[in-house]
Amino acid sequence: MNGWRCDRRSVLGGLAGAALATLTPGTAGATEAVVSRLTALLETWRGNPHPDLKGVVVMRHGRRIAETYYNGDGATTLHDIRSATKSLTSLLMGIAIDRGRVAGVDAPVARYLPGPLPAGWEAITIRDLLTMRSGLAADDTDPTSPGNEDTLDAAGEKTGDWATAALAVPVREPPGRSYQYCSLNAFLAGLIVERATGQSLDALAQEALFAPLGIRAHDWRTLPGGHGTGQGNLSITARDAATLGQMVLNQGTYDGHRVVSARWLSDSLARIHPIAASDPYADFYGYMWYAKDEPLGDSRTVPVHFASGNGGNKIYVVPSLDLVVAVTSSAYGKGYGQRRSQDILLGILATLP
């Protein structure tokens, strides 16, 4: 399950429903034939029977070479990317570590969180949160789990303080032992960033991430109690999602400026924990980034790193092809959304030379 269910999409106007598949002037390495094939491919998805695909943006060699919008969205539409936000929270953790505000991934979470904490929390490290191996009794697929996202959200709305409920979740097993996807880990990572930097997630993202990337409009949900939603509910445009992917592809730089350290990106994208047994769309999990080998032609595969959110929201990064693909979708809670986004990626891979 990928993230929170409130659809906070806002349309800023212009280009809604337009089909744009254009070669940016000066695009390096992109031919008119490639753009034409991509245009035709993306247009085929306009006939999809599910009216909740929203946008696809393709970047190659640092340039936007194709984009198409569907079902009322356009280039300026803010779209809730749900749990793909977790990958941005990981980026913000990297920035906090780069700046010396957080000691590192092996630091205990208790150093940065208010106590007293339940027994066993003292053994949990920031690395455990980032890799979904905290050992907390938090399972987003189990409504009876104390740390289930819906349970915590309801408690936060009732009490006016989401963090109090989150910090009371018991430990299920020793940390580092097993992978269990849960939004609580991402919320805690975001809370640590906020407490260590003295900034809200939104403010830090605006200053350290969005402004350097030229991202001018976004909307990020604030939880009861005033804390940021590190686990989801960031709304950005499909173009800006692709820009974030381009920065990751560039190993932390954008427009010649360093945004996140190359070391953090290398560690974040590493294939730390195998998850194929529980996730049909990913092979490995890193620091809140996924990895999968996807087929390219008849006899080879290419490594793909990606952020993933409920409904099929994706930021795909393919280093070997110098490629970024962003997909926005509102198929929240519907299994076909993830399959559709993967099919879109596979179609794009098959189209490229």
Side-chain angles (χ1 to χ4, degrees):
M1 185 178 298
N2 278 305
W4 298 79
R5 294 164 174 78
C6 174
D7 188 357
R8 295 167 57 86
R9 185 191 70 186
S10 60
V11 179
L12 301 184
L15 299 177
L20 305 176
T22 58
L23 182 65
T24 303
T27 298
T31 67
E32 290 185 5
V34 170
V35 172
S36 179
R37 290 197 298 269
L38 284 172
T39 301
L41 172 69
L42 297 184
E43 277 298 314
T44 64
W45 286 100
R46 197 171 298 285
N48 188 259
H50 303 291
D52 44 25
L53 179 62
K54 294 300 183 176
V56 181
V57 176
V58 183
M59 297 186 70
R60 189 121 195 251
H61 308 309
R63 302 281 184 171
R64 188 173 65 251
I65 63 170
E67 61 182 328
T68 303
Y69 296 98
Y70 313 86
N71 300 302
D73 274 25
T76 57
T77 303
L78 294 182
H79 180 84
D80 186 346
I81 62 173
R82 299 297 172 95
S83 282
T85 307
K86 290 179 172 67
S87 300
L88 274 73
T89 298
S90 173
L91 294 176
L92 294 176
M93 178 64 78
I95 289 170
I97 290 174
D98 291 343
R99 293 180 172 185
R101 305 307 296 271
V102 175
V105 294
D106 292 318
V109 301
R111 181 185 301 180
Y112 301 96
L113 297 174
L117 297 169
W121 278 60
E122 68 280 357
I124 302 171
T125 66
I126 291 171
R127 186 194 306 273
D128 295 325
L129 297 181
L130 294 171
T131 58
M132 297 291 178
R133 297 185 293 181
S134 66
L136 292 170
D139 183 348
D140 287 347
T141 66
D142 180 4
T144 68
S145 171
N148 175 275
E149 58 177 348
D150 289 337
T151 300
L152 293 175
D153 205 26
E157 294 290 348
K158 182 177 180 180
T159 65
D161 186 2
W162 211 96
T164 297
L167 294 171
V169 173
V171 170
R172 181 188 71 248
E173 66 180 23
R177 177 176 295 179
S178 61
Y179 168 91
Q180 177 59 63
Y181 181 90
C182 67
S183 289
L184 175 59
N185 287 333
F187 168 76
L188 293 172
L191 183 60
I192 288 170
V193 169
E194 288 186 329
R195 291 177 60 83
T197 64
Q199 295 176 270
S200 69
L201 284 181
D202 198 356
L204 179 62
Q206 177 61 38
E207 175 256 315
L209 195 57
F210 297 152
L213 298 182
I215 296 175
R216 295 181 176 86
H218 75 279
D219 181 28
W220 200 346
R221 178 192 180 203
T222 299
L223 289 166
H227 301 294
T229 316
Q231 63 272 32
N233 289 148
L234 172 66
S235 294
I236 57 175
T237 69
R239 282 184 178 182
D240 288 340
T243 297
L244 283 158
Q246 186 64 43
M247 184 273 293
V248 172
L249 180 66
N250 292 347
Q251 300 179 25
T253 65
Y254 186 78
D255 197 23
H257 299 287
R258 173 66 57 190
V259 180
V260 187
S261 68
R263 170 67 181 274
W264 183 258
L265 265 301
S266 176
D267 291 348
S268 296
L269 302 184
R271 299 178 168 211
I272 296 173
H273 191 76
I275 62 172
S278 60
D279 190 330
Y281 303 106
D283 295 332
F284 293 93
Y285 200 70
Y287 291 169
M288 295 188 177
W289 285 85
Y290 296 87
K292 186 174 177 62
D293 290 333
E294 297 287 9
L296 184 67
D298 296 331
S299 59
R300 56 183 289 227
T301 61
V302 291
V304 178
H305 307 283
F306 61 100
S308 179
N310 191 325
N313 292 285
K314 304 284 184 178
I315 304 174
Y316 293 111
V317 179
V318 192
S320 64
L321 298 178
D322 204 10
L323 174 73
V324 173
V325 177
V327 182
T328 52
S329 167
S330 294
Y332 303 128
K334 300 172 182 176
Y336 65 76
Q338 302 291 353
R339 293 192 299 273
R340 182 175 62 194
S341 293
Q342 185 181 48
D343 287 343
I344 291 170
L345 174 67
L346 294 176
I348 292 170
L349 293 178
T351 300
L352 296 176

XYZ file of all heavy atoms in Angstrom, residues 88 91 205-216 239-248 250 252-255 257 259-260:
241
model
N 11.302 11.723 -1.278
C 11.738 13.101 -1.042
C 12.109 13.312 0.419
O 13.047 14.054 0.729
C 10.648 14.083 -1.463
C 10.652 14.470 -2.941
C 10.152 13.299 -3.794
C 9.797 15.704 -3.194
N 15.508 12.284 0.702
C 16.415 13.327 0.212
C 16.642 14.394 1.280
O 17.770 14.869 1.479
C 15.859 13.970 -1.049
C 15.757 13.097 -2.303
C 15.091 13.877 -3.427
C 17.122 12.596 -2.740
N 12.185 21.779 2.525
C 12.087 21.373 1.128
C 12.097 22.588 0.210
O 12.760 22.588 -0.839
C 10.831 20.543 0.908
N 11.371 23.628 0.593
C 11.329 24.832 -0.231
C 12.709 25.465 -0.349
O 13.141 25.852 -1.452
C 10.340 25.832 0.360
C 10.255 27.159 -0.385
C 9.802 27.001 -1.818
O 8.943 26.171 -2.104
N 10.380 27.767 -2.725
N 13.409 25.547 0.767
C 14.716 26.223 0.784
C 15.831 25.402 0.160
O 16.659 25.907 -0.602
C 15.059 26.583 2.236
C 16.437 27.187 2.430
C 17.439 26.205 3.036
O 17.076 25.517 4.008
O 18.579 26.131 2.530
N 15.858 24.095 0.476
C 17.014 23.281 0.118
C 16.807 22.407 -1.106
O 17.786 21.907 -1.678
C 17.401 22.389 1.310
N 15.562 22.217 -1.523
C 15.291 21.284 -2.612
C 14.519 21.954 -3.744
O 14.974 21.988 -4.890
C 14.507 20.089 -2.065
C 14.405 18.832 -2.920
C 15.779 18.287 -3.276
C 13.589 17.757 -2.202
N 13.363 22.516 -3.436
C 12.519 23.047 -4.499
C 13.103 24.307 -5.140
O 13.126 24.426 -6.366
C 11.113 23.334 -3.971
C 10.382 22.116 -3.480
C 9.408 22.208 -2.499
C 10.670 20.860 -3.994
C 8.728 21.089 -2.055
C 9.999 19.727 -3.552
C 9.031 19.847 -2.578
N 13.564 25.248 -4.332
C 14.119 26.481 -4.902
C 15.318 26.206 -5.809
O 15.381 26.738 -6.922
C 14.482 27.467 -3.791
N 16.283 25.376 -5.387
C 17.410 25.084 -6.289
C 16.991 24.406 -7.592
O 17.700 24.525 -8.604
C 18.295 24.154 -5.451
C 17.961 24.467 -4.043
C 16.504 24.782 -4.054
N 15.860 23.692 -7.568
C 15.393 22.992 -8.764
C 14.414 23.834 -9.585
O 13.933 23.373 -10.626
C 14.724 21.673 -8.370
C 15.598 20.642 -7.648
C 14.807 19.374 -7.360
C 16.846 20.322 -8.448
N 14.114 25.030 -9.120
C 13.188 25.881 -9.849
C 11.738 25.469 -9.711
O 10.900 25.848 -10.528
N 11.419 24.715 -8.666
C 10.037 24.299 -8.420
C 9.328 25.418 -7.668
O 9.664 25.722 -6.522
C 9.992 22.980 -7.623
C 10.605 21.847 -8.452
C 8.567 22.642 -7.209
C 10.729 20.526 -7.721
N 8.347 26.031 -8.309
C 7.726 27.247 -7.773
C 6.402 27.007 -7.072
O 5.958 27.835 -6.280
C 7.541 28.262 -8.904
C 8.859 28.747 -9.493
C 8.631 29.765 -10.604
N 9.899 30.292 -11.090
C 10.630 29.712 -12.033
N 10.211 28.586 -12.586
N 11.768 30.244 -12.420
N 5.849 17.673 -14.361
C 7.131 18.218 -14.800
C 8.112 18.329 -13.646
O 9.293 17.990 -13.771
C 6.927 19.599 -15.429
C 6.388 19.602 -16.841
C 6.332 21.022 -17.384
N 5.861 21.056 -18.758
C 5.752 22.179 -19.470
N 6.076 23.338 -18.916
N 5.327 22.129 -20.725
N 7.637 18.824 -12.507
C 8.532 18.993 -11.361
C 8.934 17.646 -10.766
O 10.049 17.500 -10.245
C 7.880 19.879 -10.308
C 7.815 21.335 -10.747
O 8.580 21.714 -11.656
O 6.989 22.094 -10.198
N 8.047 16.653 -10.835
C 8.441 15.303 -10.423
C 9.579 14.797 -11.291
O 10.546 14.192 -10.803
C 7.243 14.363 -10.513
N 9.504 15.071 -12.590
C 10.581 14.670 -13.493
C 11.867 15.439 -13.186
O 12.969 14.881 -13.266
C 10.158 14.898 -14.939
N 11.740 16.700 -12.815
C 12.921 17.492 -12.452
C 13.614 16.899 -11.234
O 14.850 16.824 -11.176
C 12.518 18.950 -12.178
O 11.986 19.515 -13.371
C 13.707 19.770 -11.726
N 12.833 16.476 -10.245
C 13.418 15.811 -9.079
C 14.155 14.547 -9.501
O 15.262 14.266 -9.031
C 12.320 15.473 -8.066
C 11.818 16.647 -7.234
C 10.427 16.365 -6.683
C 12.791 16.936 -6.101
N 13.547 13.783 -10.410
C 14.214 12.595 -10.916
C 15.494 12.922 -11.651
O 16.494 12.196 -11.539
N 15.505 14.033 -12.382
C 16.715 14.436 -13.099
C 17.846 14.774 -12.137
O 19.005 14.428 -12.369
C 16.421 15.641 -13.994
C 17.577 16.049 -14.887
C 17.946 14.983 -15.896
O 17.073 14.376 -16.505
N 19.241 14.725 -16.063
N 17.518 15.441 -11.035
C 18.538 15.734 -10.023
C 19.122 14.454 -9.452
O 20.337 14.338 -9.244
C 17.929 16.606 -8.921
C 18.915 17.063 -7.855
S 19.126 15.879 -6.495
C 17.503 15.962 -5.725
N 18.270 13.453 -9.212
C 18.753 12.165 -8.718
C 19.636 11.497 -9.775
O 20.705 10.961 -9.462
C 17.560 11.266 -8.332
C 18.027 9.843 -8.005
C 16.818 11.860 -7.136
N 21.403 12.957 -11.917
C 22.655 13.716 -11.959
C 23.492 13.539 -10.699
O 24.422 14.315 -10.474
C 22.357 15.201 -12.139
C 21.769 15.526 -13.486
O 21.775 14.711 -14.399
N 21.228 16.736 -13.624
N 22.772 14.145 -7.622
C 22.613 15.183 -6.615
C 22.860 16.593 -7.082
O 22.797 17.512 -6.268
N 23.143 16.792 -8.363
C 23.365 18.145 -8.866
C 22.236 18.539 -9.809
O 21.574 17.693 -10.409
C 24.705 18.279 -9.605
O 24.673 17.459 -10.791
C 25.858 17.852 -8.721
N 22.061 19.867 -9.940
C 21.081 20.380 -10.892
C 21.553 21.748 -11.358
O 21.906 22.605 -10.551
C 19.689 20.497 -10.253
C 18.631 20.887 -11.245
C 18.094 19.944 -12.124
C 18.183 22.208 -11.340
C 17.129 20.300 -13.057
C 17.220 22.569 -12.265
C 16.703 21.608 -13.123
O 15.751 21.964 -14.051
N 21.580 21.932 -12.660
C 22.000 23.193 -13.263
C 23.366 23.627 -12.734
O 23.618 24.815 -12.496
C 20.948 24.275 -12.987
C 21.100 25.487 -13.901
O 21.681 25.342 -14.997
O 20.652 26.585 -13.522
N 24.694 23.021 -9.842
C 24.788 23.271 -8.402
C 24.510 21.982 -7.626
O 23.632 21.207 -7.987
C 23.791 24.350 -7.990
C 24.015 25.669 -8.664
N 25.062 26.504 -8.359
C 23.323 26.288 -9.663
C 25.014 27.574 -9.100
N 23.963 27.469 -9.918
N 22.901 19.850 -4.838
C 21.688 19.903 -4.026
C 21.759 18.871 -2.902
O 21.464 19.179 -1.747
C 20.432 19.655 -4.892
C 19.158 19.703 -4.044
C 20.346 20.687 -6.021
N 22.122 17.657 -3.241
C 22.296 16.564 -2.281
C 23.636 15.908 -2.595
O 24.052 15.843 -3.762
C 21.162 15.519 -2.406
C 21.254 14.482 -1.296
C 19.789 16.179 -2.387
